[in-house]
Amino acid sequence: MRIAIVGLGPKGLYGLERLLANLAEAEYPFPTEIHLFNKSDSFGAGEIYNPAQPSYLKMNYVNGYINMWPEQKPKPNVPHPKSFVEWLNERKDEFPNDSEYTFSSRATVGRYLSEGFNELLENCPEHISIFKHVGDVIGIEQNEDGYSVDCKVSDDNVPLRVNAIQNLLIATGHPCINDADLVAQDTHIDFIYPVDLRLKGISSGSKVAIKGMGLTFIDAVLALTEGRGGKFVADETGDLIYTKSGMEPEVLYPFSKSGMLMIPRGNTYGKSSLAPFYFNKESVEYSETLEGKYDFEHQLLPLIEQDFTVVYYSKLFSSKGLKLEVLKDYAEVEFQIENFHEQNPDLPRFDFYSFLEGTISDGELNKSTLEFIRMSIQEAERGVEESAFAAAADAWRHLSDLFNELYSFGGLKPQSQKTFLEKYAGHLNRISYGPPIENMKKIEAIAKAGLIDFSFSQNPEISYSSKTILSNNKEEKVSVDFLVDARVPKIQLHRCAGPLYSTLLEQNLIIPYVNRLEGRLDFRPGCLAINEKGNPLDETGWANETITFTGTPTEGLTYDNDSLSRQRNDFVSDWAKDLTKKILQEEPETQLRSNSI
């Protein structure tokens, strides 16, 4: 059996680990080849966690949650699988301040993943041969021998071809870019990673617009400042002061549709949280569906809003020595809240939609954004156990598990899915999965040093000529030398499939997923059609079990593909188990045929 895994970031690594664990326990050790394809030599870590990247690029995921080894059976085929914290503890001389409660650099996590990958190779059973191929997979062709995988290993026009692949796990990242029309312009950077390479052409003293204000925006800012020799010094209060190196751009102009920055977060590992009370399986079961599909705004969002409100006021009540009684009848909870505000008229009311969308004064965008940064840092430092704001920001993390179950594989009505993705998903991501406090303090310090101007941050008008020009609602304009796209591209097969997915589409090995409901408008989220095991479907609904997708390509049929999570949207465990069974069934038949010849 010859198997290929395309993409060896964490998702591909997890697939390899499960496959080796299952094959190691197989009753008969049949010869198996596994071909691994990765864009770079960063096998196991991928580009996002490449160990060679700068150390100032931080995780937004606390160390205690990171573990590349699963707890389920079969056990990993290595002698001593270690969690990330155990791995760090063995290197205390190198990482003296790191613990389960801190945030490490992505490079450090990449080292952990890469060493885990190497450990898998070192303990690989003798009957399994593993081949590594570095380069872009640009095509997969189906033929009578199975599949041929074409990999561009250099600038030569002739790719490496590996033939007779019988089974494929495809764990690629994002296949396309955001604005294909702008790629040819030298002053447009369509993707920032790796930052040392992609941003080096931005000259010092230039004006730079940055599209997107999420985690990638923070990485871009740090690469153009700290990455160019700028220094941070903590003052007596713990806040940071930035000292310029002189190699930075003159000013950075970030912008997005909402103009809102992410909410920073402190340690949440081991912290108690209020279990979902209203948005739970029991409550959802009372909702009538149409062919098994929910309406997000009318059926799910009201329950989510109630849980957010309860989390916020539970902390606020506690700060006044009171206890909010969480009761099934939400009207009784509202009655308690009304009484609370009558007794505390100076405290602002919690409004779920204002919290979700954020409130920045469009009159003084730069000033109000800096005020938001300061407030959000202070609340994050108070933490989820004391701050009502921080606790509410953390709530979606605990609600999203159930939402993922309801959302996955067309669980929302077509136009309701469209509404969720366009109107709510970005805001929920912004409030819940923000950067560590340290990184937001750095953004604040860089802005105070005059290197970031938020005056055009809220959905500016953009015009392109010899330069990019931003205009805000005060009729102010700024001409910039470079435009950096700091958004993570989403899979959009109908718009920009990329070389690999284009060939898969041409051969009808995949088709775009369409969310359909009789009598309603269809919706195409951009992903491919797969079943619940990750196998691609054709127009008739037939599943091709020789190909499995995991991670980014499944977004749209799944929600929140956390690249490090082993539990969320785990397609690889079943893939490895089913493939091992198939090998055991087919190989004896092959052996019998060869013996009879």
Side-chain angles (χ1 to χ4, degrees):
M1 171 71 78
R2 183 175 286 180
I3 302 159
I5 301 178
V6 180
L8 255 292
K11 293 296 186 186
L13 172 65
Y14 297 166
L16 174 65
E17 183 279 320
R18 284 292 79 197
L19 182 59
L20 291 176
N22 278 272
L23 289 174
E25 286 203 347
E27 186 176 356
Y28 304 106
F30 295 108
T32 304
E33 282 187 13
I34 304 175
H35 290 259
L36 309 177
F37 297 86
N38 200 48
K39 283 186 177 182
S40 73
D41 60 2
S42 179
F43 283 84
E47 282 308 297
I48 298 298
Y49 302 100
N50 193 320
Q53 67 188 297
S55 61
Y56 55 76
L57 300 179
K58 294 282 188 180
M59 297 290 300
N60 70 326
Y61 200 55
V62 76
N63 293 340
Y65 293 120
I66 301 172
N67 190 351
M68 68 163 283
W69 306 104
E71 295 181 0
Q72 79 249 39
K73 294 181 179 180
K75 64 181 182 180
N77 191 43
V78 298
H80 304 291
K82 300 178 185 69
S83 70
F84 182 50
V85 172
E86 291 170 334
W87 183 88
L88 287 170
N89 287 338
E90 290 184 348
R91 294 159 179 79
K92 272 297 181 185
D93 290 345
E94 189 176 357
F95 306 107
N97 300 317
D98 286 5
S99 71
E100 61 265 46
Y101 307 115
T102 59
F103 297 84
S104 290
S105 71
R106 292 211 295 272
T108 302
V109 174
R111 274 183 55 189
Y112 165 69
L113 296 170
S114 296
E115 289 185 20
F117 170 77
N118 290 330
E119 197 173 357
L120 286 171
L121 298 192
E122 291 166 6
N123 291 276
C124 181
E126 291 184 359
H127 64 284
I128 300 172
S129 301
I130 296 180
F131 301 88
K132 296 191 296 182
H133 308 285
V134 177
D136 273 316
V137 172
I138 56 175
I140 294 174
E141 178 184 314
Q142 188 174 27
N143 47 51
E144 60 184 13
D145 294 324
Y147 299 95
S148 295
V149 178
D150 292 327
C151 180
K152 187 178 181 182
V153 296
S154 67
D155 292 332
D156 298 334
N157 291 325
V158 181
L160 165 74
R161 169 165 279 206
V162 179
N163 294 310
I165 299 291
Q166 280 90 50
N167 197 282
L168 285 153
L169 175 66
I170 300 179
T172 56
H174 304 277
C176 68
I177 54 180
N178 286 304
D179 291 320
D181 295 339
L182 298 175
V183 172
Q185 298 184 19
D186 293 336
T187 57
H188 177 254
I189 291 89
D190 60 276
F191 192 62
I192 74 164
Y193 302 108
V195 294
D196 288 347
L197 175 65
R198 301 304 297 270
L199 300 180
K200 69 178 182 180
I202 295 178
S203 53
S204 59
S206 58
K207 294 181 178 179
V208 182
I210 302 179
K211 189 173 188 177
M213 294 175 64
L215 297 173
T216 307
F217 151 74
I218 293 174
D219 288 350
V221 171
L222 295 180
L224 293 169
T225 53
E226 186 175 10
R228 295 191 172 191
K231 301 293 182 184
F232 294 97
V233 178
D235 64 17
E236 63 277 2
T237 67
D239 292 329
L240 299 179
I241 299 170
Y242 181 75
T243 302
K244 300 178 185 179
S245 69
M247 299 303 294
E248 303 93 344
E250 178 186 345
V251 64
L252 307 172
Y253 296 98
F255 67 93
S256 68
K257 187 175 181 180
S258 71
M260 293 296 301
L261 288 165
M262 300 187 84
I263 295 175
R265 53 179 173 170
N267 167 53
T268 58
Y269 185 72
K271 304 286 187 182
S272 60
S273 61
L274 197 65
F277 191 84
Y278 297 103
F279 183 62
N280 55 42
K281 287 187 177 181
E282 182 183 357
S283 300
V284 170
E285 284 174 358
Y286 288 107
S287 301
E288 289 187 14
T289 62
L290 198 57
E291 296 182 20
K293 296 178 184 286
Y294 293 93
D295 185 301
F296 177 74
E297 285 191 303
H298 294 100
Q299 293 178 302
L300 306 184
L301 189 60
L303 300 174
I304 292 169
E305 178 185 357
Q306 289 172 2
D307 266 320
F308 266 85
T309 304
V310 162
V311 167
Y312 183 89
Y313 278 106
S314 291
K315 297 299 179 184
L316 199 58
F317 273 47
S318 180
S319 71
K320 296 294 184 180
L322 303 171
K323 182 179 180 181
L324 177 69
E325 295 294 336
V326 183
L327 305 167
K328 281 192 174 183
D329 186 350
Y330 186 70
E332 295 187 30
V333 174
E334 290 180 309
F335 180 74
Q336 294 176 70
I337 292 172
E338 285 299 320
N339 285 340
F340 176 82
H341 279 293
E342 287 179 9
Q343 300 298 319
N344 299 276
D346 56 318
L347 292 178
R349 290 176 178 270
F350 176 75
D351 181 80
F352 171 69
Y353 294 96
S354 296
F355 181 78
L356 193 63
E357 296 172 8
T359 51
I360 292 290
S361 169
D362 58 3
E364 292 288 342
L365 279 176
N366 193 58
K367 179 183 176 183
S368 57
T369 301
L370 287 172
E371 289 172 350
F372 171 80
I373 292 174
R374 175 89 315 246
M375 179 276 294
S376 64
I377 289 172
Q378 290 172 341
E379 295 301 323
E381 288 183 324
R382 289 179 62 203
V384 295
E385 293 179 323
E386 290 187 17
S387 165
F389 182 90
D394 189 55
W396 181 242
R397 235 173 20 93
H398 306 285
L399 300 173
S400 63
D401 285 339
L402 175 58
F403 176 75
N404 183 49
E405 289 182 35
L406 302 174
Y407 175 92
S408 294
F409 300 98
L412 298 184
K413 296 174 184 177
Q415 291 304 302
S416 186
Q417 183 185 16
K418 182 175 187 289
T419 298
F420 170 75
L421 292 175
E422 293 179 356
K423 189 175 176 182
Y424 296 99
H427 290 306
L428 289 165
N429 184 64
R430 182 188 72 81
I431 66 173
S432 304
Y433 303 116
I437 295 169
E438 178 188 358
N439 274 8
M440 193 57 83
K441 284 187 173 183
K442 287 182 176 181
I443 294 297
E444 180 183 42
I446 294 166
K448 286 183 175 180
L451 293 175
I452 304 177
D453 186 344
F454 293 101
S455 299
F456 299 86
S457 62
Q458 200 168 69
N459 201 24
E461 183 179 327
I462 308 168
S463 57
Y464 304 99
S465 55
S466 58
K467 288 191 174 184
T468 301
I469 299 172
L470 306 182
S471 306
N472 62 20
N473 60 4
K474 295 171 67 176
E475 298 186 358
E476 297 171 329
K477 294 185 178 182
V478 63
S479 175
V480 298
D481 303 299
F482 295 92
L483 173 61
V484 175
D485 199 323
R487 299 171 298 163
V488 175
K490 294 179 171 58
I491 186 166
Q492 294 289 335
L493 293 181
H494 58 285
R495 183 178 64 83
C496 175
L500 170 59
Y501 286 84
S502 292
T503 63
L504 295 174
L505 285 166
E506 288 167 7
Q507 295 182 76
N508 294 318
L509 290 173
I510 61 172
I511 59 171
Y513 166 67
V514 183
N515 189 349
R516 292 190 171 97
L517 186 62
E518 188 175 351
R520 305 293 177 94
L521 287 174
D522 295 344
F523 175 60
R524 298 171 182 263
C527 62
L528 62 152
I530 57 172
N531 65 9
E532 294 191 5
K533 289 200 169 186
N535 306 130
L537 302 173
D538 67 10
E539 294 286 359
T540 69
W542 175 78
N544 181 355
E545 295 180 357
T546 62
I547 301 178
T548 302
F549 290 87
T550 187
T552 299
T554 71
E555 290 175 358
L557 270 168
T558 60
Y559 175 72
D560 188 21
N561 272 298
D562 187 326
S563 60
L564 286 179
S565 174
R566 294 220 57 149
Q567 289 79 37
R568 180 66 66 91
N569 303 320
D570 175 20
F571 292 100
V572 300
S573 292
D574 281 345
W575 167 74
K577 182 172 63 177
D578 294 345
L579 181 54
T580 301
K581 286 181 181 177
K582 184 177 181 182
I583 293 172
L584 291 176
Q585 290 168 356
E586 291 185 355
E587 288 294 343
E589 296 175 8
T590 304
Q591 192 67 39
L592 284 172
R593 286 196 299 270
S594 64
N595 289 340
S596 64
I597 294 174

